[in-house]
Amino acid sequence: MRLPELRVAAVNVREARRRGRSRTCGGRDSQQGVSHACPRSEEAGGHGRRGHSAKRTRIFSHVSVSTKESSTCTQEPPDYASWGQESHPTTFLLCRSKSSQTSLEHELFMEEAYNSAICFKMLRDIGTSDLLQTKYLTKKIKRMAQRCPNLVMETIHDYFKDNPEISCRHRLRLFEVLVTVIGTLNVLEETWQKCFMQLALEHMTKSTELDDIYQDAASNVLLALCRHSWPAVAKHLETELLTGVFPHRSLLYVMGILFSQEKFLKKEDRESWKDLLSQMTRKSVPFLNTDVWSKELLWAITKAGRTQQEHAPEKAFLFVYYGLILQAEENSTTVRTHLKTLLETSHQWDKQREGIALTVGLVAVRHLDDAWAILEQFGRSTPLRWSLQNLSLKPHTQSNKDLRWKWASSTMLLSYGQMAAWAKSHILPWVDNILSRMIFYFRFSSWDETLKQSFLTSISMLVGAISRSEGAHSYEFSQTSELLECLMTLMEKEPQDTLLTSVHQQVIRIVSSLCALRPPIDVERKSRLLSICFRSILALPQLDALEKQACLLLEQPNIQGLYSQTMEALDHMLQCFMVQNPTVNELHFLLSHLYIWLTSEKTHERQRAVHRCTALFKFLNHKQCLSTKENFIRVGQLVAMLGILCQDSDSTIQCVSLEALGHLYQLLMHQKAQETPEVERESPRELFGPDADGAVRWSSGDQKGCPPIPQGMASKDDSIFYMSSDQALQAITNHLEMAELTDLIWTTIDGLGSTSSSWVQAAADLLLLVIQEHGDSLATVGKMGQAIHQHLCAIQMPQAKDSALRVITLLARNHIPELVAAFLDFSTPLDSQAFRLWRALGAEQPASYLILTVLLAWLQKRPLPPSVGDGSSYPKEKSYLRSLAAMNTIHELQFAREFKKAVRDVFPQLFLAHLAQMHYILELSQPTEPEQEQEVQEVAVLNPQSTSLEALKSLLSTTGHWHDFAHLELQSAWEYFTSIHTYPQAVGLLARAMVQNHCTQIKAVLGYLLPNLQSQQERERKTAILLLVENLAKAEI
């Protein structure tokens, strides 16, 4: 038989002997110096009682000495685990002979004796060990008890019995070990239950230099026994509590622990404990009329503890006990008297205030009217009114008496909250009255952290009670708007650079609960509330900065936990708003307050905002609660912002924005599916495109990365989550209406004016992507082009500017007339950015020809000058300026590489248009009325006469007509174009030069003279006649 099996057998034999024999030899054994070993009768094998006792003494002595010697050879704690090793060569030798039963029993006895000695020594050493070694020894004893429970329990019992002279501190540590061992055991023999219960009761009321700590340690033994012998413990508690004498604090300590921590009781015993407590409180009601008992109760409640901030279990239970007794009292006068006396005690310490409020709340279960009346009476009392008016004015001159009342208003707040929490559904008719009192104390009390926490705690209890009441929906509460104002004020006063308390999440959770009450929150107040909440939370510093600030505090809060809980509370509030009003209007309203944070220059603010959007979309997809009766409002703006964020410099924002787009796409598809029963959807393969096999799905669960989701988890509706940002945006925009697309494009154009370079680049790229897909069908592209021009000069990045110009090129394929008309409004004069836009507009060859044609049409829309004596007004300025702008633009485009071929192709039209334009300008340069002089002078600043002449010169020079240009230059003929009187001569000289130099465009020019001869405008007919006359003079023409 192996050694472990021998040890088990030894334990079994020992247990059988203990059950079969009496314990009469315990005294004799203790006289021999082996009191820590189990009592025994005569041993087998023929050994006499005296000889065997002496042998046990020698064994224990040998073990102790040997262990002591081994422990001095090392600096580390003694290895008391060696009791479980394979052999103990210093104590005994095993005899493996199977033929000798006596030797086997002797061997088992020696093994048992050794283990008892080890346990004995550990119990002894605990008294002189430091904290670390004590924990080590306790752990070893616990392990030993798991294998040999009775041996350990017997050793502990004998150690207490045989060593009454040990110190109180040593005994306290033994109590702690005993609690640990009892808690380890699943079953405890009745003998040990009675034994250790008696031990605990003896020491629970014992006075030592350790005071309450010693009594609490002994009481913890009784608590540990509750799991094994609850009926006996319960009987003792009831007996001691109902003697008529005020119970000792240790008894209240035990009951306080049982009331607050159910882990000490088995599940089946918890209900009996509640019934017992109810019975004891009812039976304690007569004690209220006993003067001595009542005074001791009040003294125990109001006396100071070891530290004023702590709330000892016995004191906490006293408030509960007091409240339950008053609750069971039938006499209203008695209830009021005791509540009044309780409220007149000190309110200086927070635990005292919480206890008083709890007592009031428990009383309100059956005596709501009495509790309300006493609180009202106390609220009008002189000390409380004086504290509200004066304490905040003299913070440095307050006496101790003043401090007793300084925070009485906090007690009132907590009391109202406890009333609501315990009265439950009966509180509904009282809600407005209670809220009015809470708001009063909040506004007129001295502002500090105590008031703030008391207010939030009481409001949370009240709102929680309302939420749990089934009939709350039938009530309309008139004080909720005032309550919201208080909450917003409180949130605004919170520090904007720290997160050290749970105030933010408390306020937000209260607001979330108020959403379900009537009347609903009005739009204006809700808007202010959202703005304040977002500003207070989303604008907080980064998480690492918040943690660094907390490092300076003595008691460091869990910043990571506070941060996560605050963000979850914010998400929950947005979800509650949507649940109460599940419409697209409400969704747009909520998101509109987030847009400013989505475009923030700070990365962590954008990250928090996009997480809120994603969480809200995910919630709506999961609940499917969004109404489908209305179309989405400004969904294009939302898609644009998320699309831009998909290109953010922060990888987390990219990932979460992409997830938000996926959830938004599913919302859109769900809405369209409700509108049209059968919706044709792209298959995942079609949505992916050629690179579908390499697509990876993402999620926003982890801010540090976006792990791929297995493809097997995705359904057809989830295919959007496998796409890249460009693919996802294409899939979404394919389902947008024209108004939504237009909204998307305008949002991206506005993004070009951002101060963030990355935002501008992303906006330009998104704009280009959308125009590539949907530019052909857009409307109002002229205004879009003008808006792009306004932002173009502020774009510093060449790549973003090129993308914006590429957008103009793509729009030119189908929208040249609108764009040309829009561009003319900012082309006088033509700056460098406008010139780049014109070049981009004509970057593609077919477009350049059409642009010149449209410009010529605008050039020819010349308003007629007023006649002498005519009462007609001066030409409309806009028409005039557009004509000049067209001339100016043509002049500049004649030098552009993109328009070189188109200028050659339309040379005849341009040539005739320039000549007619110069005549028009000369006509306007002669005012006929004095009042026109100022207007003409303002227009002259643009110098149209010079521009028109330069346009003609550049046309000749850029199209290869250098000979004609030089001919007029040498004859100084250009000067003749500056006067209307010499204009015919100038045209004749120009025509003659073209004829003499054999200009290749003469025939083409003559081909366009016939329409000009038939023109309704005299200047065009005049110009055509002058050219025709000069050319007809040559016989070859």
Side-chain angles (χ1 to χ4, degrees):
M1 183 179 294
R2 294 193 301 272
L3 183 58
E5 297 173 347
L6 290 174
R7 290 172 179 161
V8 173
V11 174
N12 294 335
V13 170
R14 184 175 181 276
E15 295 298 324
R17 289 174 177 175
R18 287 186 66 256
R19 288 192 293 268
R21 298 189 182 98
S22 64
R23 302 175 55 88
T24 57
C25 61
R28 290 191 296 271
D29 285 346
S30 63
Q31 294 176 3
Q32 299 296 329
V34 290
S35 59
H36 47 277
C38 60
R40 289 179 174 80
S41 59
E42 286 190 15
E43 301 292 335
H47 294 284
R49 187 173 299 165
R50 180 180 303 174
H52 208 110
S53 178
K55 186 175 182 180
R56 289 176 61 196
T57 303
R58 290 194 298 272
I59 291 172
F60 276 68
S61 175
H62 186 192
V63 172
S64 301
V65 173
S66 175
T67 309
K68 181 177 181 181
E69 291 174 353
S70 64
S71 66
T72 59
C73 299
T74 177
Q75 298 297 326
E76 297 181 357
D79 187 8
Y80 295 101
S82 60
W83 67 276
Q85 295 178 354
E86 288 296 325
S87 63
H88 303 287
T90 60
T91 57
F92 56 89
L93 296 175
L94 295 175
C95 179
R96 299 182 180 272
S97 176
K98 299 182 180 180
S99 61
S100 176
Q101 182 66 26
T102 302
S103 298
L104 176 60
E105 291 185 359
H106 176 74
E107 182 179 345
L108 296 177
F109 168 74
M110 296 296 290
E111 170 101 8
E112 181 181 5
Y114 177 79
N115 293 336
S116 298
I118 290 295
C119 183
F120 178 90
K121 187 178 187 305
M122 286 191 287
L123 294 175
R124 184 188 64 189
D125 291 348
I126 281 178
T128 58
S129 302
D130 56 21
L131 182 61
L132 181 62
Q133 193 173 15
T134 300
K135 291 182 178 179
Y136 175 79
L137 294 174
T138 304
K139 183 178 180 180
K140 293 299 180 183
I141 296 174
K142 177 181 176 181
R143 290 182 178 178
M144 183 180 289
Q146 291 173 345
R147 298 184 60 180
C148 305
N150 285 288
L151 185 147
V152 174
M153 300 300 291
E154 183 176 4
T155 305
I156 294 175
H157 170 264
D158 291 345
Y159 195 93
F160 273 107
K161 180 178 180 182
D162 299 333
N163 297 275
E165 73 286 352
I166 59 176
S167 66
C168 295
R169 191 172 299 277
H170 189 182
R171 194 177 291 110
L172 181 145
R173 291 187 175 181
L174 291 178
F175 284 145
E176 294 174 348
V177 172
L178 182 58
V179 169
T180 302
V181 172
I182 294 175
T184 304
L185 304 178
N186 293 325
V187 178
L188 185 65
E189 288 188 2
E190 184 178 356
T191 302
W192 300 126
Q193 294 177 16
K194 296 179 179 179
C195 179
F196 289 117
M197 182 174 174
Q198 183 62 33
L199 178 68
L201 294 176
E202 290 177 1
H203 292 273
M204 281 171 55
T205 58
K206 190 174 183 179
S207 298
T208 66
E209 64 271 19
L210 298 179
D211 296 329
D212 296 349
I213 299 177
Y214 181 86
Q215 296 175 356
D216 292 347
S219 301
N220 288 334
V221 176
L222 188 63
L223 286 168
L225 291 170
C226 288
R227 293 183 63 251
H228 302 281
S229 55
W230 167 243
V233 175
K235 182 178 180 181
H236 175 78
L237 293 177
E238 184 178 12
T239 301
E240 292 295 322
L241 193 67
L242 300 178
T243 59
V245 178
F246 192 78
H248 190 271
R249 63 159 299 279
S250 60
L251 187 72
L252 298 173
Y253 171 86
V254 172
M255 300 187 74
I257 295 295
L258 289 175
F259 182 81
S260 60
Q261 303 179 33
E262 293 184 342
K263 65 179 182 180
F264 291 98
L265 294 175
K266 295 180 180 179
K267 189 174 182 180
E268 57 270 19
D269 294 332
R270 292 171 186 171
E271 290 299 324
S272 66
W273 158 240
K274 294 178 182 179
D275 295 339
L276 176 64
L277 182 60
S278 178
Q279 294 174 13
M280 289 189 296
T281 54
R282 288 196 300 269
K283 294 177 181 180
S284 300
V285 171
F287 300 153
L288 292 175
N289 298 321
T290 304
D291 188 58
V292 176
W293 194 93
S294 298
K295 288 182 178 179
E296 288 190 14
L297 172 62
L298 191 63
W299 177 84
I301 284 178
T302 57
K303 77 170 183 176
R306 291 189 293 270
T307 60
Q308 297 291 356
Q309 295 297 332
E310 74 173 9
H311 205 12
E314 65 272 16
K315 195 169 183 178
F317 176 75
L318 274 178
F319 285 111
V320 176
Y321 184 46
Y322 198 10
L324 292 175
I325 295 176
L326 292 176
Q327 182 186 118
E329 173 62 62
E330 299 292 341
N331 192 322
S332 176
T333 303
T334 303
V335 172
R336 295 194 179 198
T337 301
H338 280 271
L339 284 182
K340 181 177 180 295
T341 304
L342 181 62
L343 287 170
E344 289 174 351
T345 59
S346 175
H347 300 263
Q348 182 175 356
W349 306 107
D350 56 348
K351 297 302 181 182
Q352 188 78 8
R353 295 189 295 270
E354 293 172 5
I356 294 173
L358 177 57
T359 301
V360 174
L362 289 170
V363 173
V365 174
R366 291 189 62 200
H367 304 281
L368 183 57
D369 293 336
D370 296 328
W372 175 265
I374 292 300
L375 289 178
E376 288 290 285
Q377 180 182 347
F378 183 68
R380 292 190 296 268
S381 64
T382 301
L384 183 58
R385 293 173 62 186
W386 178 85
S387 67
L388 293 176
Q389 297 172 4
N390 299 302
L391 274 178
S392 60
L393 302 178
K394 304 183 296 182
H396 302 293
T397 61
Q398 295 167 357
S399 64
N400 291 332
K401 185 177 181 180
D402 297 335
L403 292 176
R404 292 179 66 247
W405 301 100
K406 178 179 180 180
W407 292 285
S409 57
S410 295
T411 305
M412 297 293 287
L413 286 169
L414 293 172
S415 298
Y416 286 122
Q418 290 286 2
M419 283 178 58
W422 287 97
K424 299 179 182 178
S425 59
H426 300 291
I427 204 66
L428 290 178
W430 299 77
V431 169
D432 282 331
N433 289 332
I434 292 177
L435 273 178
S436 65
R437 301 303 187 272
M438 289 180 171
I439 293 170
F440 170 79
Y441 287 114
F442 175 78
R443 289 178 173 173
F444 295 99
S445 300
S446 177
W447 177 269
D448 58 10
E449 191 68 26
T450 299
L451 174 73
K452 182 167 55 179
Q453 288 297 334
S454 300
F455 177 73
L456 290 175
T457 302
S458 60
I459 292 296
S460 298
M461 288 189 286
L462 175 62
V463 173
I466 297 173
S467 302
R468 292 188 294 270
S469 301
E470 296 181 357
H473 63 277
S474 61
Y475 281 83
E476 187 162 330
F477 305 102
S478 61
Q479 295 292 320
T480 53
S481 59
E482 295 297 324
L483 175 59
L484 284 172
E485 292 295 331
C486 294
L487 293 173
M488 288 188 283
T489 300
L490 195 153
M491 182 76 89
E492 288 179 317
K493 288 187 177 182
E494 281 299 289
Q496 299 294 318
D497 56 348
T498 58
L499 183 64
L500 303 177
T501 65
S502 60
V503 170
H504 292 92
Q505 58 177 293
Q506 287 180 277
V507 171
I508 293 174
R509 293 192 186 282
I510 292 172
V511 172
S512 301
S513 300
L514 292 176
C515 293
L517 303 183
R518 297 174 54 201
I521 304 174
D522 60 89
V523 175
E524 182 180 356
R525 186 170 282 108
K526 186 187 294 186
S527 178
R528 285 182 52 227
L529 177 65
L530 288 171
S531 299
I532 292 172
C533 290
F534 289 154
R535 183 170 61 251
S536 300
I537 296 175
L538 300 184
L540 286 170
Q542 298 184 30
L543 185 58
D544 55 351
L546 294 174
E547 291 176 337
K548 288 180 181 178
Q549 293 172 352
C551 292
L552 303 176
L553 301 177
L554 294 178
E555 297 182 3
Q556 300 179 11
N558 182 6
I559 300 299
Q560 178 69 50
L562 279 175
Y563 178 84
S564 300
Q565 293 168 6
T566 303
M567 293 303 168
E568 290 174 1
L570 188 59
D571 289 336
H572 180 66
M573 182 185 72
L574 297 177
Q575 294 166 10
C576 288
F577 281 135
M578 286 305 305
V579 169
Q580 296 303 317
N581 186 18
T583 63
V584 293
N585 288 327
E586 182 72 6
L587 178 60
H588 171 68
F589 176 78
L590 298 179
L591 294 176
S592 63
H593 290 80
L594 273 174
Y595 287 155
I596 186 176
W597 302 100
L598 291 173
T599 60
S600 172
E601 295 182 358
K602 297 180 180 180
T603 301
H604 65 278
E605 292 180 355
R606 296 197 305 276
Q607 188 178 113
R608 292 167 183 169
V610 74
H611 269 288
R612 307 291 72 78
C613 288
T614 306
L616 185 57
F617 294 155
K618 187 183 297 184
F619 170 80
L620 293 175
N621 269 329
H622 176 69
K623 294 295 183 179
Q624 295 290 319
C625 61
L626 190 63
S627 173
T628 58
K629 297 180 180 179
E630 302 171 319
N631 294 326
F632 273 93
I633 299 177
R634 298 209 65 184
V635 66
Q637 180 186 21
L638 179 58
V639 173
M641 286 194 166
L642 294 176
I644 292 173
L645 289 170
C646 286
Q647 307 299 325
D648 196 272
S649 56
D650 181 74
S651 59
T652 300
I653 295 178
Q654 293 179 15
C655 181
V656 179
S657 302
L658 198 54
E659 182 181 4
L661 276 177
H663 290 295
L664 178 60
Y665 174 81
Q666 289 184 332
L667 284 175
L668 289 172
M669 292 300 97
H670 177 70
Q671 185 188 46
K672 293 183 180 297
Q674 298 298 320
E675 295 174 356
T676 305
E678 295 182 0
V679 180
E680 295 182 1
R681 302 178 183 177
E682 299 90 336
S683 66
R685 177 69 59 178
E686 293 172 345
L687 289 172
F688 293 151
D691 58 344
D693 293 336
V696 178
R697 190 182 178 188
W698 37 259
S699 69
S700 63
D702 186 3
Q703 293 189 9
K704 296 183 179 179
C706 299
I709 297 177
Q711 293 187 8
M713 294 175 60
S715 64
K716 182 177 179 180
D717 292 337
D718 293 333
S719 57
I720 185 73
F721 294 104
Y722 286 92
M723 303 179 190
S724 65
S725 59
D726 287 352
Q727 292 173 330
L729 286 167
Q730 290 176 4
I732 293 176
T733 55
N734 287 337
H735 295 281
L736 296 182
E737 303 294 337
M738 181 54 59
E740 297 166 345
L741 274 174
T742 304
D743 190 23
L744 187 155
I745 292 172
W746 274 111
T747 304
T748 56
I749 292 175
D750 292 340
L752 297 176
S754 174
T755 56
S756 171
S757 57
S758 60
W759 189 275
V760 172
Q761 182 64 61
D765 294 340
L766 177 58
L767 180 60
L768 179 59
L769 174 68
V770 177
I771 295 301
Q772 285 175 338
E773 296 294 325
H774 307 282
D776 297 346
S777 57
L778 292 177
T780 66
V781 293
K783 293 182 179 179
M784 295 178 184
Q786 290 178 335
I788 292 174
H789 169 258
Q790 292 176 359
H791 297 303
L792 197 62
C793 58
I795 300 177
Q796 302 296 327
M797 295 160 294
Q799 185 177 357
K801 186 170 291 188
D802 291 343
S803 297
L805 294 173
R806 178 61 180 165
V807 168
I808 299 299
T809 302
L810 294 176
L811 290 175
R813 295 177 179 176
N814 297 278
H815 307 284
I816 285 180
E818 301 97 309
L819 290 172
V820 168
F823 286 6
L824 286 176
D825 291 339
F826 55 76
S827 297
T828 307
L830 193 66
D831 57 28
S832 59
Q833 302 300 332
F835 183 59
R836 292 194 66 176
L837 279 177
W838 281 106
R839 293 182 59 187
L841 193 64
E844 295 180 351
Q845 193 61 40
S848 60
Y849 179 87
L850 183 57
I851 291 169
L852 289 178
T853 303
V854 176
L855 285 173
L856 283 172
W858 277 106
L859 184 65
Q860 294 171 358
K861 292 181 179 180
R862 310 177 184 99
L864 296 174
S867 304
V868 178
D870 190 3
S872 61
S873 62
Y874 190 70
K876 292 183 180 180
E877 184 178 358
K878 187 171 183 180
S879 300
Y880 170 67
L881 289 178
R882 281 194 172 181
S883 179
L884 294 183
M887 176 187 65
N888 187 52
T889 303
I890 292 173
H891 171 219
E892 296 294 340
L893 295 183
Q894 288 171 169
F895 295 97
R897 173 177 51 83
E898 293 82 358
F899 289 85
K900 185 176 181 179
K901 184 177 185 302
V903 169
R904 290 180 181 274
D905 293 341
V906 295
F907 176 84
Q909 299 95 310
L910 289 174
F911 179 75
L912 294 175
H914 285 324
L915 290 177
Q917 183 70 10
M918 281 190 290
H919 192 280
Y920 172 70
I921 296 300
L922 292 174
E923 291 175 353
L924 295 180
S925 64
Q926 297 182 9
T928 58
E929 297 181 6
E931 60 272 14
Q932 297 176 1
E933 292 182 1
Q934 182 178 359
E935 297 180 6
V936 174
Q937 288 175 0
E938 294 175 357
V939 175
V941 175
L942 303 175
N943 200 4
Q945 185 175 344
S946 174
T947 303
S948 60
L949 181 59
E950 291 299 323
L952 179 60
K953 289 181 179 181
S954 64
L955 177 64
L956 295 175
S957 62
T958 57
T959 55
H961 297 79
W962 288 101
H963 294 87
D964 305 332
F965 179 85
H967 190 89
L968 269 68
E969 188 72 31
L970 292 174
Q971 294 183 2
S972 300
W974 297 117
E975 297 179 0
Y976 296 132
F977 283 105
T978 59
S979 174
I980 195 169
H981 302 292
T982 58
Y983 175 80
Q985 183 180 357
V987 175
L989 291 174
L990 178 58
R992 189 176 303 134
M994 294 176 67
V995 172
Q996 292 177 358
N997 294 314
H998 304 287
C999 177
T1000 58
Q1001 294 286 349
I1002 291 179
K1003 292 183 179 180
V1005 171
L1006 291 176
Y1008 284 93
L1009 287 180
L1010 182 58
N1012 284 15
L1013 291 173
Q1014 300 174 350
S1015 174
Q1016 296 180 356
Q1017 298 184 11
E1018 181 181 355
R1019 70 181 71 87
E1020 294 185 359
R1021 296 196 303 270
K1022 181 178 180 181
T1023 301
I1025 291 173
L1026 291 173
L1027 289 173
L1028 184 60
V1029 169
E1030 188 62 35
N1031 282 278
L1032 289 176
K1034 299 297 181 180
E1036 58 273 19
I1037 298 302

